[in-house]
Structures are given as C-alpha cells and as structure tokens.
C-alpha cells in the first residue's frame, strides 16, 4: 500500500507538462467521485470542460503514478489535439510519431518509448531541450 498522495503525483505530472510544453494543469480539488476506494479530483480544460482523475487506494507508489499518468496523458492529448497535436509527452526517439508511455521500469514509474521499450525519464523528471524547442527529454545525468 502506498503512502503517496494524489496531489504529489499530480505535481510530478505538472512538472513534466510545464517543462516540456509549457502547459499548466488546472486541478479542481473536489472529488470527482465519492467512493472510499478511490481518491479523485477534477482536471479543468481550457474551455472549462472537466474530466475526473481517479486514483485507486491501496496501489503501490509506482502503480498509483502510472494510473494517474495515464489519466492525465489522455486529458492533455485531448486538450492539445485542438491546438497543436496530441503527442504528449513526445517520444524523443521517434519525434512526431507517438507519445511516450508510462510504464514500470524496475520499480520506477517511467516514460518509455512504446515501440522499442527504451526508458526516456522517470515521471516527474522530463525537461525541455533548449536546441530542439518543446521536445521531451530526460534531465542531464539521469
């Protein structure tokens, strides 16, 4: 059972969003569902649309991060599809073709390339590559 909280996981994802594409995730800290087995909040879109993020209680830290990352990734891809495409976070190995995928890599919640399985960066550790613009990349030395 994890002691990691939903707000902590959302902060990891906020970092990755702001660092890679400058997107500020808006969270309404009210329950999206009332269920003792689920922690939840609302994500608020640019057009004030909302979607619930559900975090099942009792998951390990890695499972919780992966579950929330998938919810947030789906939300952001729908939001971004309208303005600039929906590959967030972009896979730096295959730029412009697909987003990175959240996956458990040796007990660490990690962004990976879904085609070749290569680890890109732990979730919460992406950053912008200055010479490539808004490209997702791991922090130096990680």
């Amino acid at each position: 059972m994890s002691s990691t909280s939903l707000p902590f996981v959302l902060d990891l994802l906020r970092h990755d969003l702001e660092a890679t594409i400058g997107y500020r995730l808006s969270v309404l800290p009210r329950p999206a569902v009332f269920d003792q087995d689920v922690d939840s909040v609302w994500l608020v879109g640019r057009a004030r649309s909302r979607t619930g993020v559900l975090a099942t209680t009792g998951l390990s830290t890695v499972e919780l991060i992966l579950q929330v990352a998938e919810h947030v990734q789906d939300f952001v891809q729908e939001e971004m599809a309208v303005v600039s495409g929906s590959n967030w976070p972009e896979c730096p190995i295959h730029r412009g073709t697909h987003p990175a995928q959240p996956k458990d890599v040796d007990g660490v919640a990690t962004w990976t390339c879904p085609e070749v399985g290569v680890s890109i960066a732990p979730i919460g550790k992406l950053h912008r590559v200055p010479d490539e613009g808004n490209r997702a990349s791991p922090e130096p030395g990680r």
Side-chain angles (χ1 to χ4, degrees):
M1 186 167 173
S2 172
S3 62
T4 303
S5 67
L6 180 56
F8 173 80
V9 175
L10 289 170
D11 284 345
L12 292 175
L13 293 160
R14 276 189 177 114
H15 170 272
D16 285 353
L17 281 163
E18 290 177 17
T20 57
I21 60 174
Y23 186 92
R24 296 187 65 81
L25 187 64
S26 179
V27 177
L28 183 62
R30 283 194 241 149
V33 297
F34 293 96
D35 182 332
Q36 66 183 11
D37 296 325
V38 176
D39 191 10
S40 64
V41 295
W42 291 102
L43 299 181
V44 182
R46 291 180 175 153
R48 307 304 298 161
S49 61
R50 287 193 243 176
T51 191
V53 170
L54 310 178
T56 306
T57 57
L59 296 178
S60 72
T61 297
V62 171
E63 291 169 327
L64 177 64
I65 293 170
L66 296 175
Q67 183 182 61
V68 175
E70 288 175 1
H71 284 287
V72 171
Q73 186 178 38
D74 288 346
F75 173 78
V76 171
Q77 287 176 348
E78 288 179 22
E79 282 282 293
M80 299 306 292
V82 177
V83 292
S84 65
S86 60
N87 281 344
W88 183 83
E90 182 179 44
C91 174
I93 299 165
H94 303 102
R95 296 181 192 271
T97 61
H98 58 258
Q101 178 180 29
K103 193 171 185 178
D104 180 344
V105 177
D106 298 325
V108 177
T110 305
W111 293 115
T112 63
C113 171
E115 282 191 22
V116 295
V118 173
S119 296
I120 297 165
I123 293 174
K125 300 293 184 183
L126 289 176
H127 77 100
R128 183 182 308 230
V129 177
D131 62 338
E132 293 284 335
N134 292 341
R135 306 285 187 188
S137 179
E139 290 182 4
R142 302 246 167 142

